[in-house]
Amino acid sequence: MDQKTLNDIAENLGVLYEVLDNISDGRKTFRACLTLTNNSNKPLKAGRWGIYFCHVRMIEPDVLPDEKYVLIPEAQVKISHINGCLFVLEPARYFKTLEQGCSLKISFKGQYYSVAKTDVMPNWYFAAEGCYPALIQSTVDETLGFVADFDTPLKWKRFDYSVGYGRRIDAYNPYTAGERYEKNARADGRVIAQMVIPTPLHLSKREGKFVTVTTDKWVISCTSHSLVNEAKYLAEKTLLPVDEGHQECRRATVHLELCDTATILSGRQVTGLFVEEAYQIRVSAEDDQVTIQGTNPAGVFYGIQTFLSLWNPDGRVPEVKIQDAPRFPYRGMHIDVVRNFHSVRDIKLLLETMAMYKLNKLHFHLTDDEGWRLEIPGLEELTQIGGKTGHDLSETKCILPVLGSGPEIRSAFYSIEEYRDLLLYAKLRHIEIIPEIDMPGHAHAAIKTMQLRQDRLKEMGRKFEDYTLVGKTSGGDHLSVQKYVNNAIDPGLESTYAFVRKVISELISLHANISPLRSFHFGGDEVPTKSWRDYQACQKLLSEGIVDSEEDLMEYFVKRVAEVAAECNVDLSAWQDAVLFDDGEMIERHDIPSKEVTVYAWLNRWEVRLADSGNRLANSGYKVVMAQGTHLYFDHPYEPDPNERGLYWATRYIDTFKTFSFMPLNLLGNCDEKLSGEPITDEDLETAEKVFERLEKPENVIAYQVNAVKF
């Protein structure tokens, strides 16, 4: 096939993807059909070509990935799993030429179920030996017009299968207009409109009284040099001048002041509050004065945000008295820029929005299987190769193009200068950026690029620090949840911990003089530990008695990383999987040599025994960030509708009411629906209470965090 033919076919090949039936095989597989229509004036003949596409479910799981490919005999095509979600469809031996105007139906099974259009990724592409790959134009549209409608219960329901107590049936259906109206009406009846979000501790208002803040009459007065940043921020938002001592004739003033906690929260119950960031606002219509007081600059800044939310477009601000303090010292937002990269401008917009809602931590997920998004001095391959995606099956120039990123080689990472710019932008808004370097799982990009670094420097004959992340293996292949082969860093290699030390040291340098790195977040989630059975260095740890069993390898890794972090004088953070395992066993807090360990609790589907994990971790002495999947993951759809974008691993949907009603100190009180959509009954709750660990150390719950992953 020549380039012209390839381009013509890619331009005119029609693709239709249909989910046919999620139900008939219980929850094991679903049936789907792919229809290819040749709208080109050239025939599509057998040859050395392939259609590359991302499929989030394993195709024909009874065959793949154990076999090299699965043959679809009726269509005479074969489908192979490459890595992650990337598959290729190729003509088989007896493939019949697809003539102009003809269609080919390819029926197959996918693992589990698929009930949303966004399970199918865009930007499929056509490739052939000796040619540049080209996007199949019928798939180049994030509206996913090539995905057929989910128009029957067989298509939009996830499962129907037998369990010990009977049948488990997906109870969800797409809302009708009437159901949506009733649901919103019920929610509206439970919500009182607020002047300020989040709701302040105390707000009193004099009806009909207000001041009109305009640039020709009002000034900002800053009494403390430590509030210069806050005064500048308010001036930029309001265009009010800052009084530097030459505007005495102007009497209408917004005062920014530091004040003690007792004064700011006078008359209020402060138990359970994080008073270090308290603020008070007083607006007086009689003398045109606004006073914003805080216990520190952060408190004043949050007072400014409340003032801006009260400020109407016509300049009017109601006469109010507000006293406020947060419940938690950590109020977070997580964003994944690996699966879905965002520009510096977009991250700044997110930071500004976070500041409006008084969120103060950005959990920055910077590395994963799909790429490495932060430049690390001395390890340039991490971004020179790991920061790029494109059609390079050898992955010597870039990482595989998954999640619909297409064949063109694209670069997507933050340079040192860009990252430090974000740190400063965040600091000025009293937001701490917490970088996450995910390991030992989710590490395909790091493993691949460090091996390429090693090979390159060996070939050049240069001396180098060994940062190999996977050593010799016995050849077994084990898949991660996201279908990556052997994506787990080797805990048996000393070079692994040299890499960890190097990365932490460079992160400390990147954060220096702006926002000091206080904790190393190493991820620790979804580790395919079975891979370690075939890692020779791990088997050596076992044979020498350094670890007692394969189950202890994760604990060994966590403790070694903690030791490195402690040597670098930073604390440790991780997802709950790092210290609390599927079998319920937990690494004892006192066994981790870190001054403080913060764990992010995210696995809480009510049907599984880890639903109380946040409580268990807090009671065991860990500092806990509540980030529960059923209420706080923004990558889930807003409704149980196949046209709504999002994943549905924790629950079928998450709407505003779910998120705002979440109670971080009463996990059992958040129980609403089972994964199936069936209501949780009183009997269910009584059963759960018998095994559900109650929160005994609420002081260890330091935070809640909402999470944006992939979308």
Side-chain angles (χ1 to χ4, degrees), residues 161-452:
Y161 61 96
S162 298
V163 291
Y165 55 82
R167 297 200 66 77
R168 194 180 192 200
I169 302 172
D170 188 349
Y172 288 113
N173 293 299
Y175 296 153
T176 65
E179 289 169 336
R180 187 176 297 111
Y181 178 86
E182 289 179 8
K183 188 175 190 299
N184 291 335
R186 289 196 300 271
D188 290 344
R190 291 175 284 180
V191 177
I192 301 172
Q194 299 291 340
M195 295 175 63
V196 180
I197 298 175
T199 305
L201 177 65
H202 169 78
L203 186 156
S204 60
K205 175 185 175 184
R206 287 187 66 188
E207 292 298 332
K209 298 292 184 178
F210 57 87
V211 297
T212 302
V213 181
T214 56
T215 56
D216 59 331
K217 295 181 179 179
W218 284 71
V219 296
I220 299 168
S221 172
C222 176
T223 61
S224 171
H225 180 72
S226 61
L227 296 178
V228 169
N229 168 63
E230 286 65 42
K232 181 180 178 182
Y233 181 89
L234 181 58
E236 289 175 353
K237 293 296 181 181
T238 61
L239 302 182
L240 297 178
V242 178
D243 184 358
E244 298 178 348
H246 308 292
Q247 307 288 341
E248 293 87 351
C249 60
R250 299 189 183 189
R251 69 184 187 88
T253 306
V254 179
H255 301 273
L256 305 182
E257 302 174 354
L258 295 177
C259 194
D260 61 273
T261 303
T263 299
I264 289 174
L265 297 178
S266 175
R268 305 298 158 204
Q269 174 58 253
V270 299
T271 303
L273 298 179
F274 185 64
V275 297
E276 286 84 349
E277 293 180 351
Y279 70 89
Q280 178 178 229
I281 296 178
R282 297 192 306 272
V283 178
S284 173
E286 291 182 5
D287 52 5
D288 278 348
Q289 298 293 305
V290 175
T291 303
I292 302 174
Q293 297 174 321
T295 50
N296 59 20
V300 172
F301 183 79
Y302 300 136
I304 288 171
Q305 293 298 335
T306 294
F307 170 77
L308 293 173
S309 71
L310 296 169
W311 192 37
N312 293 310
D314 61 3
R316 293 199 302 174
V317 179
E319 181 168 313
V320 295
K321 179 181 179 181
I322 295 175
Q323 295 167 285
D324 197 13
R327 291 177 65 195
F328 300 104
Y330 182 126
R331 305 174 299 281
M333 175 78 199
H334 166 283
I335 186 167
D336 181 344
V337 294
V338 183
R339 281 76 166 261
N340 191 357
F341 186 74
H342 295 276
S343 67
V344 169
R345 178 180 176 275
D346 288 343
I347 299 301
K348 286 183 175 180
L349 180 60
L350 174 62
L351 289 165
E352 190 66 59
T353 305
M354 288 174 61
M356 289 172 57
Y357 292 100
K358 305 179 180 72
L359 302 180
N360 66 348
K361 310 289 182 184
L362 179 64
H363 179 171
F364 212 9
H365 186 80
L366 290 165
T367 75
D368 215 295
D369 295 309
E370 295 84 357
W372 186 288
R373 304 298 182 216
L374 177 62
E375 183 179 3
I376 300 294
L379 299 178
E380 286 74 18
E381 291 86 355
L382 287 171
T383 45
Q384 289 176 352
I385 300 170
K388 298 177 181 178
T389 59
H391 182 66
D392 174 21
L393 300 183
S394 67
E395 293 189 295
T396 55
K397 298 178 181 177
C398 59
I399 300 300
L400 290 172
V402 295
L403 300 173
S405 56
E408 182 182 347
I409 294 180
R410 302 171 186 268
S411 179
F413 66 90
Y414 304 107
S415 67
I416 294 170
E417 294 76 17
E418 288 173 327
Y419 185 71
R420 285 178 62 82
D421 180 39
L422 287 174
L423 290 175
L424 180 59
Y425 191 88
K427 180 184 178 181
L428 295 176
R429 287 151 182 79
H430 297 277
I431 297 172
E432 177 186 3
I433 291 180
I434 301 170
E436 180 190 342
I437 307 298
D438 210 348
M439 60 176 68
H442 291 279
H444 172 75
I447 291 168
K448 192 69 181 178
T449 54
M450 287 302 93
Q451 187 58 56
L452 290 169

Side-chain angles (χ1 to χ4, degrees), residues 629-630 632-639 644-655 707 709 711:
T630 55
L632 301 176
Y633 267 73
F634 286 1
D635 61 348
H636 281 53
Y638 197 79
E639 291 183 4
E644 283 280 348
R645 291 180 175 272
L647 305 174
Y648 40 86
W649 54 266
T651 183
R652 184 61 185 87
Y653 75 97
I654 296 175
D655 59 14
N707 306 282
V709 184
F711 287 92

Side-chain angles (χ1 to χ4, degrees), residues 604 606 611 615 626 628 630-632 657-674 680 685 692:
N604 76 313
W606 309 120
N615 292 350
M626 296 297 191
Q628 275 70 11
T630 55
H631 287 68
L632 301 176
F657 188 82
K658 270 191 177 184
T659 299
F660 274 79
S661 63
F662 179 72
M663 296 176 284
L665 300 182
N666 182 13
L667 293 182
L668 195 59
N670 297 303
C671 290
D672 48 9
E673 296 172 334
K674 300 176 183 177
I680 292 177
L685 286 174
F692 201 92

Side-chain angles (χ1 to χ4, degrees), residues 578-638:
V579 299
L580 179 58
F581 308 129
D582 289 344
D583 61 4
E585 292 297 313
M586 184 189 303
I587 302 176
E588 294 295 332
R589 171 62 187 89
H590 57 74
D591 287 339
I592 299 178
S594 299
K595 183 178 179 181
E596 203 156 275
V597 181
T598 302
V599 180
Y600 294 63
W602 64 288
L603 292 168
N604 76 313
R605 285 185 295 183
W606 309 120
E607 293 91 335
V608 300
R609 57 186 168 183
L610 294 177
D612 62 351
S613 57
N615 292 350
R616 290 191 59 199
L617 290 161
N619 293 342
S620 298
Y622 291 100
K623 298 300 181 184
V624 176
V625 176
M626 296 297 191
Q628 275 70 11
T630 55
H631 287 68
L632 301 176
Y633 267 73
F634 286 1
D635 61 348
H636 281 53
Y638 197 79

